[in-house]
Amino acid sequence: MITDTPVAAGRARRGQTLPLSEVFGPTFQGEGPFTGYRARFVRLGGCNLSCGAGAAPMVCDTEYTWNSAKFDLAVECPETRTTAILEHAGRISAPITVLTGGEPMTHQRKPAFTELLTGLRDLGQVHVETNGTIPPAADAHDLVDHFTVSPKLTNTGDPAGKRLKPRALAAFAAEAPGKAVFKFVVATPDELTEVDRLVDEYSIPHPAVWIMPEGRTAARVLACHRSLADAILTRGYNTTTRLHMLLWPEEDRGR
Ligand code: SF4
């Protein structure tokens, strides 16, 4: 049961910095097992992958958090004190904070990251969205309530050795389905066989697998989802839509 918490500023006060893209909410978590829950989002800059770089359309929908060839990251993701991030987050009333990116786990060894998680815990549950390439260190593991792990498939363009890190995937799989779930973005039924291989290889429990349709428009999300639904059911996986694409199709930030 997730309960709302009083708006508060958090207890971290020392003011280390992290590259911050945006803090927004309240909105709805649009993807995965917590779809529809009210949430605040904290989006950090930086990523260790480059999904779809150079492709059209671009696979990554938050390219402004990491692609220095196209964006001025000092402007898009300025170094921001954790106190300021927590103050902003604390003004948003929601039971869940979704910490996302970019790839937020690239910062997990920084004292600022621990400060941020510690402060966000004062506001309610902390959920981290990750590409699953970096196993959680002890602090991150203990301070995060839930990980949504989204391993990237061949369709994202990065080589397998870069996007699939066995030690990290095994670490997250060991936490599934209690503390971690796996969310795969799939465009065609054929791509589900690639998911099947990963699920088998890393012994990911089927109840921890969520298939999400690819798509940047409501029409594309719905059409893709319909094409996948039966095959998802047959395999015993779960599924999720992309709620924010259906509700706010014209708004690609702050939703
Ligand atoms: S891992 Fe996520 S944020 Fe990083 S490039 Fe891929 S889609 Fe974008």
Side-chain angles (χ1 to χ4, degrees), residues 11-93:
R11 64 171 172 255
R13 295 290 174 220
R14 281 174 291 155
Q16 310 263 2
T17 67
L18 290 165
L20 178 71
S21 169
E22 55 184 347
V23 178
F24 61 92
T27 185
F28 299 118
Q29 169 55 288
E31 305 173 355
F34 293 91
T35 297
Y37 274 93
R38 285 173 42 253
R40 71 179 69 76
F41 278 69
V42 176
R43 185 183 306 285
L44 299 181
C47 188
N48 56 346
L49 298 183
S50 51
C51 302
M58 182 68 195
V59 173
C60 179
D61 57 8
T62 55
E63 200 183 1
Y64 50 87
T65 63
W66 56 268
N67 193 345
S68 59
K70 288 173 65 174
F71 296 90
D72 182 345
L73 297 185
V75 172
E76 292 286 349
C77 304
E79 287 292 329
T80 306
R81 291 186 185 279
T82 53
T83 47
I85 300 173
L86 290 167
E87 185 188 359
H88 189 167
R91 281 188 255 120
I92 300 167
S93 179

Side-chain angles (χ1 to χ4, degrees), residues 7-186:
V7 172
R11 64 171 172 255
R13 295 290 174 220
R14 281 174 291 155
Q16 310 263 2
T17 67
L18 290 165
L20 178 71
S21 169
E22 55 184 347
V23 178
F24 61 92
T27 185
F28 299 118
Q29 169 55 288
E31 305 173 355
F34 293 91
T35 297
Y37 274 93
R38 285 173 42 253
R40 71 179 69 76
F41 278 69
V42 176
R43 185 183 306 285
L44 299 181
C47 188
N48 56 346
L49 298 183
S50 51
C51 302
M58 182 68 195
V59 173
C60 179
D61 57 8
T62 55
E63 200 183 1
Y64 50 87
T65 63
W66 56 268
N67 193 345
S68 59
K70 288 173 65 174
F71 296 90
D72 182 345
L73 297 185
V75 172
E76 292 286 349
C77 304
E79 287 292 329
T80 306
R81 291 186 185 279
T82 53
T83 47
I85 300 173
L86 290 167
E87 185 188 359
H88 189 167
R91 281 188 255 120
I92 300 167
S93 179
I96 296 172
T97 299
V98 181
L99 184 59
T100 189
E103 174 46 58
M105 297 296 283
T106 57
H107 305 292
Q108 71 164 342
R109 300 288 179 184
K110 300 176 182 175
F113 192 77
T114 303
E115 268 189 25
L116 181 63
L117 291 180
T118 302
L120 291 175
R121 283 290 287 258
D122 287 349
L123 305 178
Q125 285 201 7
V126 178
H127 296 187
V128 167
E129 296 184 330
T130 174
N131 60 27
T133 56
I134 301 170
D139 277 355
H141 177 273
D142 293 347
L143 291 168
V144 171
D145 295 286
H146 169 84
F147 290 97
T148 294
V149 184
S150 190
K152 304 308 172 192
L153 303 181
T154 306
N155 61 16
T156 60
D158 275 329
K162 185 176 177 186
R163 60 187 160 78
L164 300 175
K165 299 294 185 183
R167 193 168 69 85
L169 290 172
F172 285 117
E175 300 285 348
K179 188 159 179 162
V181 300
F182 286 72
K183 183 186 72 187
F184 295 93
V185 180
V186 172

